[in-house]
Amino acid sequence: EIEAKYIKKMQVLRDELDLRRKTEIHEVEERKNSHISELMRNHEKAFSDMKNYYNDITVKNLTLISLLKEQIEEMKKKETKLEKEKADALLQNKQLKETLQQAQEQVFELQKKLAHYDKDKEALMNTKAHLKVTQKELKDLQWEHEVLEQRFSKVQAERDELYQKFTKAIKEVQQKTGFKNLLLERKLKGLLSVLEKKEVELNEVFAASNLDAGALSLVSQKLEDVLNSKNATIKDLQFQLARVCKAHDDMLQTFQAKLTSFGIPLDNLGFKPLASPVLGQ
């Protein structure tokens, strides 16, 4: 019993010691991992600081290189500008030399002309007198120009008034012509309709009555007379319609000729004229 008791105690003690050992090992591993993590963070921080340091150096060097390149470009531009200014200065110097030579030649010419001063003075007096005459002629021409402008304004106003009258007249004539055409068409249609009805009634009468050949011939002769009279009336109406259309076309051509003679474009007519009106339109 004592042996079993101590064996049991030894097992319990062994388990406790084993558990303590595992706990201590776990704590040691935790401390080790924490230490490793801290070392890694420190190393990463140091690496990041070093990287930022060298990046700053690189950026500064690149900025310096870019600045130096810009300065070099600026110096090249200044050099090009100075070369251009130098060429311009040389060209200007050459032009000034030419101008000086021309001025010297002009001085020589003026010295020559100075010897003929009296002659030039007389020519100047003659030129002034001619200028006065020319100024008087200019005033006369200006006065004539004003008169012509007033006459032009008056003629233009008369042209506008005539254009308005022509426009009004053409509209009135078109309205009257259209109304007459409409009346003639309606009258012609009415006569044709009456003629058709009469023919139908006559055929019905012939069919209903048993007339002999003589009576039928007499009735037919009278019917032909009536038809000839109606045809004559239709032809007369058609002739009147053609005459009105001809008058309309003549009036339209006359109006267009007047517009052309007054310099007014046909597009300013204000409406589209119906040339050569056709029956039924």
Side-chain angles (χ1 to χ4, degrees):
E1 291 177 357
I2 292 172
E3 185 178 2
K5 180 179 179 182
Y6 278 98
I7 288 172
K8 185 177 181 181
K9 284 184 178 182
M10 187 179 294
Q11 185 66 35
V12 172
L13 181 59
R14 186 176 293 169
D15 293 337
E16 289 178 356
L17 290 175
D18 191 16
L19 180 62
R20 184 181 296 174
R21 180 180 60 81
K22 289 180 179 181
T23 304
E24 289 177 355
I25 288 171
H26 182 69
E27 290 177 354
V28 170
E29 288 179 353
E30 289 290 332
R31 287 198 298 274
K32 181 186 68 174
N33 292 331
S34 177
H35 185 61
I36 289 171
S37 298
E38 186 176 358
L39 286 176
M40 288 180 68
R41 285 196 299 272
N42 291 334
H43 288 170
E44 288 178 357
K45 185 175 182 301
F47 177 75
S48 177
D49 293 340
M50 186 180 296
K51 184 178 178 181
N52 292 331
Y53 173 72
Y54 283 107
N55 284 335
D56 292 339
I57 292 175
T58 304
V59 171
K60 288 181 181 178
N61 289 334
L62 290 174
T63 304
L64 181 60
I65 290 170
S66 178
L67 182 61
L68 290 174
K69 285 183 178 179
E70 291 178 357
Q71 290 179 357
I72 290 172
E73 291 293 331
E74 189 68 26
M75 293 297 292
K76 287 182 178 179
K77 290 181 180 179
K78 287 183 179 179
E79 184 179 1
T80 305
K81 185 178 180 181
L82 289 174
E83 290 291 336
K84 186 177 179 181
E85 289 178 354
K86 178 182 176 182
D88 293 339
L90 292 174
L91 180 62
Q92 186 176 5
N93 189 17
K94 183 178 178 181
Q95 292 176 353
L96 289 174
K97 285 182 180 179
E98 293 176 356
T99 305
L100 178 61
Q101 185 177 359
Q102 292 177 359
Q104 290 176 351
E105 292 177 356
Q106 289 179 359
V107 169
F108 180 72
E109 291 292 333
L110 290 173
Q111 287 176 353
K112 287 174 64 179
K113 290 180 179 179
L114 185 62
H116 304 284
Y117 174 73
D118 294 334
K119 187 177 180 181
D120 293 338
K121 187 175 180 180
E122 184 178 358
L124 179 62
M125 293 176 65
N126 294 330
T127 304
K128 287 183 178 180
H130 182 68
L131 179 62
K132 289 182 180 180
V133 174
T134 305
Q135 287 178 348
K136 185 176 182 302
E137 292 178 353
L138 177 62
K139 289 181 179 179
D140 295 338
L141 289 175
Q142 288 177 349
W143 180 78
E144 291 180 0
H145 177 69
E146 292 179 356
V147 172
L148 289 175
E149 280 186 347
Q150 293 177 359
R151 291 177 61 187
F152 175 74
S153 300
K154 184 177 179 181
V155 171
Q156 195 172 18
E158 291 178 355
R159 184 201 66 182
D160 294 338
E161 184 181 359
L162 184 60
Y163 172 73
Q164 293 177 358
K165 289 181 179 180
F166 272 132
T167 304
K168 185 177 179 182
I170 193 67
K171 288 182 179 179
E172 291 178 354
V173 171
Q174 277 196 337
Q175 291 177 357
K176 292 179 180 179
T177 305
F179 183 69
K180 288 183 179 180
N181 291 341
L182 183 61
L183 289 177
L184 291 174
E185 288 175 5
R186 289 184 177 179
K187 191 173 181 180
L188 183 59
K189 288 179 181 179
L191 291 175
L192 291 174
S193 177
V194 171
L195 179 60
E196 291 177 357
K197 290 180 180 180
K198 293 297 182 181
E199 287 180 353
V200 171
E201 292 176 357
L202 183 61
N203 291 329
E204 291 177 354
V205 170
F206 286 161
S209 62
N210 294 322
L211 297 176
D212 56 356
L216 185 60
S217 177
L218 182 61
V219 172
S220 299
Q221 184 64 37
K222 290 183 178 180
L223 180 60
E224 287 180 1
D225 294 339
V226 173
L227 289 176
N228 291 330
S229 176
K230 297 298 183 181
N231 288 331
T233 304
I234 291 172
K235 288 182 180 180
D236 184 58
L237 291 174
Q238 290 177 347
F239 174 74
Q240 292 181 12
L241 178 60
R243 186 175 58 185
V244 172
C245 292
K246 180 65 170 57
H248 172 270
D249 290 343
D250 294 341
M251 181 271 300
L252 184 61
Q253 292 177 1
T254 303
F255 180 67
Q256 290 177 350
K258 287 295 183 180
L259 288 179
T260 304
S261 64
F262 281 102
I264 301 174
L266 298 179
D267 296 336
N268 296 335
L269 193 58
F271 58 89
K272 185 176 180 181
L274 179 62
S276 298
V278 182
L279 185 64
Q281 292 186 354

